Coordinates of all heavy atoms in Angstrom, one line a residue:
G1198 N 2.3 6.7 -5.0 CA 3.6 7.3 -5.4 C 3.4 8.1 -6.7 O 3.8 9.2 -6.9
V1199 N 2.7 7.4 -7.6 CA 2.4 8.2 -8.9 C 1.6 9.4 -8.7 O 2.0 10.6 -9.2 CB 1.6 7.2 -9.8 CG1 1.0 8.1 -11.0 CG2 2.4 6.1 -10.4
L1200 N 0.6 9.4 -7.8 CA -0.2 10.5 -7.7 C 0.5 11.6 -6.8 O 0.2 12.8 -7.1 CB -1.5 10.1 -6.9 CG -2.4 9.3 -7.7 CD1 -3.6 8.7 -6.8 CD2 -3.0 10.1 -8.8
E1201 N 1.5 11.2 -6.0 CA 2.2 12.2 -5.3 C 3.2 13.0 -6.2 O 3.3 14.2 -6.2 CB 3.1 11.5 -4.2 CG 2.3 11.1 -3.0 CD 3.1 10.3 -1.9 OE1 4.1 9.8 -2.3 OE2 2.7 10.3 -0.8
Y1202 N 3.9 12.2 -7.1 CA 4.8 12.9 -8.0 C 4.1 13.8 -9.0 O 4.5 14.9 -9.2 CB 5.7 11.8 -8.7 CG 6.8 11.3 -7.8 CD1 6.8 10.2 -7.2 CD2 7.9 12.1 -7.6 CE1 7.8 9.6 -6.4 CE2 8.9 11.8 -6.7 CZ 8.9 10.5 -6.2 OH 10.0 10.1 -5.3
V1203 N 3.1 13.2 -9.7 CA 2.5 14.0 -10.7 C 1.7 15.1 -10.1 O 1.6 16.2 -10.7 CB 1.6 13.1 -11.7 CG1 2.4 12.0 -12.3 CG2 0.4 12.6 -11.0
G1204 N 1.2 14.9 -8.9 CA 0.3 16.0 -8.3 C 1.3 17.1 -7.9 O 0.9 18.3 -8.0
A1205 N 2.5 16.8 -7.4 CA 3.4 17.9 -7.1 C 3.8 18.6 -8.2 O 3.9 19.8 -8.3 CB 4.6 17.2 -6.3
A1206 N 4.2 17.9 -9.4 CA 4.8 18.5 -10.6 C 3.7 19.4 -11.2 O 4.0 20.5 -11.8 CB 5.1 17.4 -11.6
M1207 N 2.4 19.0 -11.2 CA 1.3 19.7 -11.8 C 0.6 20.7 -10.8 O -0.4 21.3 -11.2 CB 0.3 18.8 -12.4 CG 0.9 17.9 -13.5 SD -0.1 16.5 -14.0 CE -1.3 17.4 -15.0
E1208 N 1.0 20.7 -9.5 CA 0.4 21.5 -8.5 C -1.1 21.3 -8.3 O -1.9 22.1 -8.2 CB 0.7 23.1 -8.8 CG 2.1 23.4 -8.8 CD 2.4 24.8 -9.1 OE1 1.4 25.5 -9.5 OE2 3.6 25.3 -8.9
L1209 N -1.3 20.0 -8.1 CA -2.7 19.5 -8.1 C -2.9 18.8 -6.7 O -2.0 18.2 -6.2 CB -3.1 18.5 -9.2 CG -3.1 19.1 -10.6 CD1 -3.3 17.9 -11.6 CD2 -4.2 20.1 -10.8
G1210 N -4.1 18.8 -6.2 CA -4.5 18.0 -5.1 C -5.2 16.7 -5.5 O -6.4 16.8 -5.9
L1211 N -4.5 15.7 -5.7 CA -5.1 14.4 -6.1 C -5.4 13.4 -5.1 O -4.8 13.3 -4.0 CB -4.1 13.7 -7.1 CG -3.7 14.6 -8.3 CD1 -2.7 13.9 -9.2 CD2 -4.9 15.1 -9.1
P1212 N -6.6 12.6 -5.2 CA -7.1 11.8 -4.2 C -6.2 10.5 -3.9 O -5.8 9.8 -4.8 CB -8.4 11.3 -4.7 CG -8.3 11.4 -6.2 CD -7.4 12.5 -6.5
T1213 N -5.7 10.3 -2.6 CA -4.9 9.2 -2.3 C -5.5 8.5 -1.1 O -4.9 7.3 -0.6 CB -3.4 9.6 -2.0 OG1 -3.4 10.6 -1.0 CG2 -2.8 10.2 -3.3
D1214 N -6.4 8.9 -0.3 CA -6.8 8.4 0.9 C -7.2 6.9 0.8 O -6.9 6.0 1.6 CB -8.0 9.1 1.5 CG -7.5 10.5 2.1 OD1 -6.3 10.7 2.1 OD2 -8.4 11.3 2.4
R1215 N -8.1 6.6 -0.2 CA -8.5 5.2 -0.4 C -7.4 4.2 -0.6 O -7.3 3.2 -0.1 CB -9.6 5.1 -1.4 CG -10.2 3.8 -1.6 CD -11.1 3.7 -2.9 NE -10.2 3.7 -4.0 CZ -9.5 2.7 -4.5 NH1 -9.6 1.5 -3.9 NH2 -8.7 2.8 -5.6
L1216 N -6.5 4.8 -1.5 CA -5.3 3.9 -1.8 C -4.3 3.7 -0.7 O -3.9 2.6 -0.5 CB -4.6 4.6 -3.0 CG -5.3 4.6 -4.4 CD1 -4.6 5.5 -5.3 CD2 -5.3 3.2 -4.9
R1217 N -4.3 4.8 0.1 CA -3.4 4.6 1.3 C -4.0 3.6 2.3 O -3.2 2.8 2.8 CB -3.2 6.0 2.0 CG -2.4 7.0 1.3 CD -2.3 8.2 2.0 NE -1.7 9.3 1.2 CZ -0.3 9.5 1.0 NH1 0.5 8.6 1.6 NH2 0.1 10.4 0.2
E1218 N -5.3 3.6 2.5 CA -5.9 2.6 3.4 C -5.7 1.2 2.8 O -5.4 0.2 3.5 CB -7.4 3.0 3.5 CG -8.1 2.0 4.5 CD -7.6 2.0 5.9 OE1 -7.0 3.0 6.2 OE2 -7.7 0.9 6.5
A1219 N -6.0 1.0 1.5 CA -5.8 -0.3 0.8 C -4.2 -0.8 0.9 O -4.0 -1.9 1.2 CB -6.1 -0.3 -0.6
G1220 N -3.4 0.2 0.8 CA -1.9 -0.1 1.0 C -1.6 -0.6 2.4 O -0.8 -1.5 2.5
R1221 N -2.1 0.1 3.4 CA -1.9 -0.4 4.8 C -2.4 -1.7 5.0 O -1.8 -2.6 5.7 CB -2.6 0.6 5.8 CG -1.8 2.0 5.9 CD -2.3 2.8 7.1 NE -3.6 3.4 6.7 CZ -3.8 4.6 6.1 NH1 -2.7 5.3 5.9 NH2 -5.0 5.1 6.0
N1222 N -3.6 -2.0 4.5 CA -4.2 -3.4 4.6 C -3.3 -4.4 3.9 O -3.0 -5.5 4.5 CB -5.5 -3.5 4.1 CG -6.6 -2.6 4.9 OD1 -6.4 -2.5 6.1 ND2 -7.6 -2.2 4.2
L1223 N -2.7 -4.1 2.7 CA -1.9 -5.0 2.0 C -0.6 -5.2 2.7 O -0.1 -6.3 2.7 CB -1.6 -4.4 0.6 CG -0.8 -5.4 -0.3 CD1 -1.4 -6.7 -0.5 CD2 -0.6 -4.6 -1.7
E1224 N 0.0 -4.2 3.3 CA 1.2 -4.3 4.0 C 1.2 -5.4 5.1 O 2.1 -6.1 5.3 CB 1.7 -2.9 4.6 CG 2.3 -2.0 3.6 CD 2.5 -0.6 4.2 OE1 2.3 -0.4 5.5 OE2 3.0 0.3 3.5
S1225 N 0.1 -5.4 5.9 CA -0.1 -6.4 6.9 C -0.2 -7.7 6.3 O 0.4 -8.7 7.0 CB -1.3 -6.0 7.8 OG -2.5 -6.1 7.0
Q1226 N -0.8 -8.0 5.2 CA -0.9 -9.2 4.5 C 0.4 -9.7 4.1 O 0.7 -10.9 4.3 CB -1.9 -9.2 3.4 CG -3.4 -8.9 3.8 CD -4.3 -8.7 2.6 OE1 -4.0 -9.2 1.6 NE2 -5.3 -7.8 2.7
I1227 N 1.2 -8.8 3.4 CA 2.5 -9.2 3.0 C 3.4 -9.5 4.1 O 4.1 -10.6 4.1 CB 3.1 -8.0 2.2 CG1 2.3 -7.8 0.9 CG2 4.6 -8.3 1.9 CD1 2.8 -6.5 0.1
A1228 N 3.3 -8.8 5.3 CA 4.1 -9.1 6.4 C 3.9 -10.5 7.0 O 4.8 -11.3 7.2 CB 3.9 -8.1 7.5
E1229 N 2.6 -10.9 7.0 CA 2.2 -12.2 7.4 C 2.8 -13.3 6.4 O 3.3 -14.3 6.9 CB 0.7 -12.4 7.5 CG 0.1 -11.5 8.6 CD -1.5 -11.6 8.6 OE1 -2.0 -12.3 7.8 OE2 -2.1 -10.9 9.4
Q1230 N 2.6 -13.1 5.2 CA 3.1 -14.0 4.2 C 4.7 -14.2 4.2 O 5.2 -15.3 4.1 CB 2.6 -13.7 2.8 CG 1.1 -13.7 2.6 CD 0.7 -13.3 1.3 OE1 1.4 -13.1 0.3 NE2 -0.6 -13.1 1.2
V1231 N 5.3 -13.0 4.3 CA 6.8 -13.1 4.4 C 7.2 -13.9 5.7 O 8.1 -14.7 5.7 CB 7.3 -11.7 4.4 CG1 8.8 -11.7 4.8 CG2 7.2 -11.1 3.1
A1232 N 6.6 -13.6 6.8 CA 6.9 -14.2 8.1 C 6.7 -15.8 8.0 O 7.4 -16.5 8.6 CB 6.2 -13.6 9.2
A1233 N 5.7 -16.1 7.2 CA 5.4 -17.6 7.1 C 6.3 -18.3 6.1 O 6.1 -19.5 5.9 CB 3.9 -17.7 6.7
T1234 N 7.0 -17.6 5.3 CA 7.9 -18.1 4.3 C 9.3 -17.8 4.4 O 9.7 -16.7 3.9 CB 7.4 -17.7 2.8 OG1 5.9 -17.8 2.8 CG2 7.9 -18.6 1.7
P1235 N 10.2 -18.6 5.0 CA 11.5 -18.4 5.2 C 12.3 -17.9 4.0 O 13.2 -16.9 4.0 CB 12.2 -19.6 5.9 CG 10.9 -20.2 6.5 CD 9.8 -19.9 5.6
D1236 N 12.1 -18.6 2.9 CA 12.9 -18.3 1.7 C 12.6 -16.8 1.3 O 13.5 -16.0 0.8 CB 12.5 -19.2 0.6 CG 13.1 -20.6 0.8 OD1 14.1 -20.7 1.7 OD2 12.7 -21.5 0.1
V1237 N 11.3 -16.4 1.3 CA 10.9 -15.1 0.9 C 11.5 -14.1 1.9 O 12.0 -13.0 1.5 CB 9.4 -15.0 0.8 CG1 9.0 -13.5 0.5 CG2 8.8 -15.9 -0.4
A1238 N 11.5 -14.4 3.2 CA 12.0 -13.6 4.2 C 13.4 -13.3 4.0 O 13.9 -12.1 4.1 CB 11.7 -14.1 5.6

């Protein structure tokens, strides 16, 4: 999100591919943890 906003404001092409992949992996881990914890869900 930071790189998107500042990149758009400064008209730059900033690297996000690695972070996006890490984010997708984390999302699946969070989904598993939320599903396993009713209070958090």
